[in-house]
């Protein structure tokens, strides 16, 4: 399929508390080269601020969390987003740095029929610095190096909508944290590939994920759910044991550690949703890509 024939849409979720940043993001999407990008803004339990003409909005009566809100945005483009070929997912306080990002996405997906997801580079708008945690691979010292990867960044990415049709949407129940890796593992297990592209840039202020009050509990609970849902049974305790050790080595505060262990316990005592363990060949693929599913 020629890149020019690929239709691109964008999903933005908002809590309605960053109207100026949202407007700047939407302006950057409108300035993209090529055919216009169709945009849906989802008010996640809040009214949507004023948006430019032509931008569709959906206002949800309650906050469904990040994956739940994005899933509503996907369905606004038809079942599994089928009205477009590619969907961009962008944080409402981000900003597309260049005018060619949508065109680069079209080219990437047209040239590689097995490419399912592209993860953008996130850079601070003032310093241009990309935080290490924003490079979705273990060898993250050079954020300017593009590569195949095993996961992606939730608020700065592009997904071929065929992926959703084939493997399903983001896991609603996760609410916040690790929903991207859950989708990434299912996509890789179905034969899709994921690229990190340093030339596709979203400007975003430097922040710490722990700014969210629910961070430590959600990270731990969802890590357990992620393993229970997706890993072969023998790898579940290995994966979670490694992550527990890494958490302890980081020496979190006592309240943070208490929240983490509460979430870890919750992950074992509550439903994780359907279990579909990945094939062993997918485990090997993840390993060859530099991130075996034990870390």
């Amino acid at each position: 399929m020629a890149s020019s024939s690929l239709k691109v849409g964008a999903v933005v979720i908002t809590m309605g508390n960053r109207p100026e940043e949202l407007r700047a993001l939407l302006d950057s999407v409108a300035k993209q080269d090529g055919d216009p990008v169709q945009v849906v803004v989802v008010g996640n339990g809040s009214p949507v601020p004023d948006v430019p003409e032509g931008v569709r909005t959906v206002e949800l009566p309650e906050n469904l969390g990040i994956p739940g809100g994005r899933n509503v945005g996907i369905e606004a483009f038809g079942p599994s987003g089928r009205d477009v070929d590619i969907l961009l997912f962008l944080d409402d306080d981000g900003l597309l740095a260049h005018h060619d990002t949508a065109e680069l996405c079209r080219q990437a997906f047209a040239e590689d029929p097995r490419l399912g997801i592209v993860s953008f580079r996130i850079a601070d708008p003032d310093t241009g610095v990309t935080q290490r945690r924003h490079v979705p691979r273990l060898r993250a010292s050079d954020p300017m190096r593009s590569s195949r990867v095993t996961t992606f960044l939730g608020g700065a990415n592009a997904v071929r909508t065929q992926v959703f049709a084939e493997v399903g949407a983001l896991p609603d129940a996760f609410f916040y944290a690790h929903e991207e890796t859950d989708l990434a593992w299912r996509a890789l297990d179905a034969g899709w590939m994921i690229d990190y592209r340093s030339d596709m840039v979203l400007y975003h202020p430097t922040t710490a994920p722990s700014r969210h009050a629910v961070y430590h509990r959600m990270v731990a609970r969802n890590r357990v759910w992620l393993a229970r849902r997706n890993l072969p049974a023998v790898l579940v305790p290995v994966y979670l044991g490694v992550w527990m050790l890494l958490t302890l080595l980081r020496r979190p505060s006592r309240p943070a550690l208490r929240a983490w262990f509460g979430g870890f316990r919750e992950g074992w005592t509550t439903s994780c949703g359907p279990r579909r363990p990945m094939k062993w060949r997918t485990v090997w693929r993840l390993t060859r890509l530099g991130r075996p599913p034990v870390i």
Side-chain angles (χ1 to χ4, degrees):
M1 181 180 291
S3 62
S4 60
S5 64
L6 294 177
K7 297 178 181 178
V8 180
V11 172
V12 181
I13 59 173
T14 184
M15 300 291 290
N17 56 350
R18 294 189 281 234
E20 293 181 4
E21 292 90 339
L22 174 62
R23 187 63 181 241
L25 169 67
L26 296 176
D27 288 346
S28 74
V29 174
K31 292 175 182 176
Q32 291 299 297
D33 299 336
D35 291 338
V37 176
Q38 304 173 44
V39 182
V40 168
V41 177
V42 178
N44 214 355
S46 66
V48 175
D50 289 339
V51 296
E53 185 177 353
V55 173
R56 288 186 288 159
T57 62
V58 179
E59 294 185 351
L60 303 177
E62 62 178 311
N63 183 356
L64 299 183
I66 293 174
R70 287 183 177 144
N71 285 341
V72 169
I74 293 168
E75 294 301 306
F77 289 94
S80 300
R82 69 184 181 191
D83 294 345
V84 293
D85 302 293
I86 303 163
L87 276 176
L88 312 181
F89 295 87
L90 307 170
D91 277 351
D92 69 341
D93 56 345
L95 182 75
L96 289 174
H98 309 300
H99 294 181
D100 63 351
T101 302
E103 277 292 275
L104 289 174
C105 286
R106 292 185 183 99
Q107 292 170 15
F109 286 112
E111 291 170 2
D112 186 350
R114 295 313 300 168
L115 179 62
I117 303 170
V118 173
S119 189
F120 301 168
R121 180 167 64 89
I122 293 179
D124 184 273
D126 297 321
T127 65
V129 171
T130 296
Q131 292 180 277
R132 186 181 182 90
R133 69 184 181 89
H134 284 151
V135 182
R137 58 177 180 244
L138 290 180
R139 296 177 180 176
S141 59
D142 182 8
M144 301 307 295
R145 179 173 67 87
S146 299
S147 69
R148 293 282 199 204
V149 290
T150 61
T151 189
F152 62 99
L153 306 173
N157 68 80
V159 181
R160 192 190 298 266
T161 53
Q162 189 180 342
V163 172
F164 297 125
E166 189 170 334
V167 308
L170 294 157
D172 283 359
F174 278 43
F175 197 84
Y176 165 78
H178 303 317
E179 67 273 5
E180 303 93 351
T181 299
D182 186 88
L183 177 62
W185 282 2
R186 286 183 282 128
L188 288 163
D189 197 49
W192 296 101
M193 299 304 292
I194 306 170
D195 279 355
Y196 166 72
R197 289 282 296 265
S198 64
D199 57 337
M200 301 182 190
V201 182
L202 184 84
Y203 284 146
H204 189 280
T206 298
T207 56
S210 54
R211 70 190 186 280
H212 299 289
V214 297
Y215 172 77
H216 297 286
R217 180 175 72 88
M218 293 292 193
V219 161
R221 184 197 68 180
N222 293 357
R223 183 79 69 182
V224 177
W225 281 357
L226 178 70
R228 289 175 59 200
R229 284 164 58 92
N230 295 288
L231 291 181
V234 69
L235 291 184
V236 172
V238 180
Y239 177 80
L240 295 176
V242 168
W243 277 104
M244 181 179 289
L245 178 61
L246 289 173
T247 298
L248 295 173
L249 289 174
R250 289 167 180 162
R251 302 172 64 89
S253 67
R254 190 180 297 272
L257 196 60
R258 187 162 49 245
W260 193 93
F261 274 107
F264 191 83
R265 183 169 53 252
E266 185 181 347
W268 285 107
T269 58
T270 56
S271 173
C272 65
R275 173 168 163 76
R276 299 187 181 94
M278 66 178 65
K279 308 174 189 71
W280 281 102
R281 69 185 182 195
T282 305
V283 173
W284 176 235
R285 175 184 290 176
L286 288 163
T287 302
R288 285 189 293 111
L289 288 171
R291 190 151 200 163
V294 294
I295 189 170

